Amino acid sequence: MVGIKSGRFNWLDNESIAAWTFLAPALLFLGTFLIYPIAYLCYLSFTTGSFTPSGMRFIGLKNYWSLLTNPDFWQVVQNTIYFTTVTVIPSLVIPLGLAVLLNRSFAWRGVLRTAYFIPSITSLVAVGLGWRWLFQTEGPVNHLLRAVGLNPIAWLSSTVWAMPVLILLSIWKQLGFNMVVFLAGLQAIPVNRYEAAELDGADAWQQFWYITLPGLRPTLVFATVTTAIFTLRSFEPVYVITGGGPLNSTNLLVYYIYDQAFAQFDFGYAAAAATLLMAVALGLVYLQLRVWGEDA
């Protein structure tokens, strides 16, 4: 075994030194751009926060207490839960159905796969500007409503309709990525299972329910976690389209953190909110790893 001598790990073994030498650049990169920022974020959440070290004071859990007793924060949390829940379910169901259809051999299959995947690689800022133009008061969507005899809707200035616009954009953006993920999962399921089920008289729905879904369990968990994290960190659509309005109805957690840090300059309070968001994301990743470990 590499680096083992007399039953103990030998850090000075030639092969161990070579391994650490090759790992050093990656470890330095991770330490500088990942571990240190996370550690500093956690430290900042226990301070007043300041542009200068001399203006920073340790205040313990005061930022977390202010966060948990702030009604605006809880409204943002409710907005984020609503946005995430309503986004994740269609972002899984629609791509799964498309993946099942596109997994079959037919003409234009490659073209359709590419067309569905294009939104995933499109800039969210550019898409947000286009979405804002589509749903403005005199935009194409309202012109279409008038053309079919319906009253126009004040999409972006309505506390009822502004959030569905962001949800629709998020679903559209995530659709292609999840479809590719499900296609990869479908192609990993052995074909002989479907052949055996067909010989036993199972119809298409029974094959999907008893073969496809169980075979896609790890893929479903992965897609659910990645989609949830994607929606939790949504910032660009809110910034470009609604700015958190109207009346704070579309203010999501990441935009709230940005606003507290760079508009209100309350860095410690923003760091506390960001730390809570990071804890939720880490919890989702832990759940994914546990499920994958059980399937291994």
Side-chain angles (χ1 to χ4, degrees), residues 13-178:
D13 184 270
N14 289 335
E15 294 184 7
S16 298
I17 293 174
W20 284 110
T21 302
F22 285 114
L23 286 172
L27 293 175
L28 181 63
F29 181 86
L30 288 174
T32 303
F33 296 102
L34 182 65
I35 298 174
Y36 172 75
I38 291 175
Y40 186 75
L41 173 70
C42 295
Y43 163 72
L44 193 63
S45 69
F46 295 102
T47 68
T48 54
S50 175
F51 284 111
T52 60
S54 59
M56 193 176 298
R57 291 183 296 103
F58 183 81
I59 57 174
L61 297 173
K62 186 177 179 180
N63 285 324
Y64 290 95
W65 179 251
S66 299
L67 195 69
L68 297 177
T69 55
N70 189 342
D72 289 339
F73 171 73
W74 288 111
Q75 182 181 354
V76 169
V77 170
Q78 290 176 3
N79 292 342
T80 305
I81 293 173
Y82 168 60
F83 175 78
T84 302
T85 304
V86 179
T87 298
V88 166
I89 296 174
S91 296
L92 296 175
V93 174
I94 298 173
L96 178 58
L98 289 173
V100 171
L101 293 175
L102 294 177
N103 195 42
R104 303 172 182 177
S105 297
F106 61 91
W108 303 101
R109 182 178 65 168
V111 175
L112 288 174
R113 287 181 178 181
T114 303
Y116 284 123
F117 188 71
I118 286 176
S120 300
I121 57 175
T122 307
S123 167
L124 262 175
V125 175
V127 170
L129 290 173
W131 223 257
R132 184 174 180 176
W133 170 73
L134 286 172
F135 287 93
Q136 64 183 340
T137 305
E138 298 299 326
V141 174
N142 276 338
H143 282 303
L144 181 61
L145 291 178
R146 289 192 186 97
V148 297
L150 298 176
N151 293 325
I153 298 173
W155 298 97
L156 303 182
S157 58
S158 168
T159 56
V160 175
W161 292 106
M163 183 65 85
V165 171
L166 297 182
I167 291 171
L168 187 62
L169 169 59
S170 184
I171 293 171
W172 177 81
K173 180 70 176 174
Q174 193 70 7
L175 186 147
F177 175 81
N178 284 346

Side-chain angles (χ1 to χ4, degrees), residues 184-203:
L186 287 170
Q187 293 171 5
I189 300 175
V191 180
N192 56 14
R193 295 184 184 178
Y194 293 99
E195 294 173 349
E198 207 171 310
L199 289 174
D200 289 337
D203 57 25

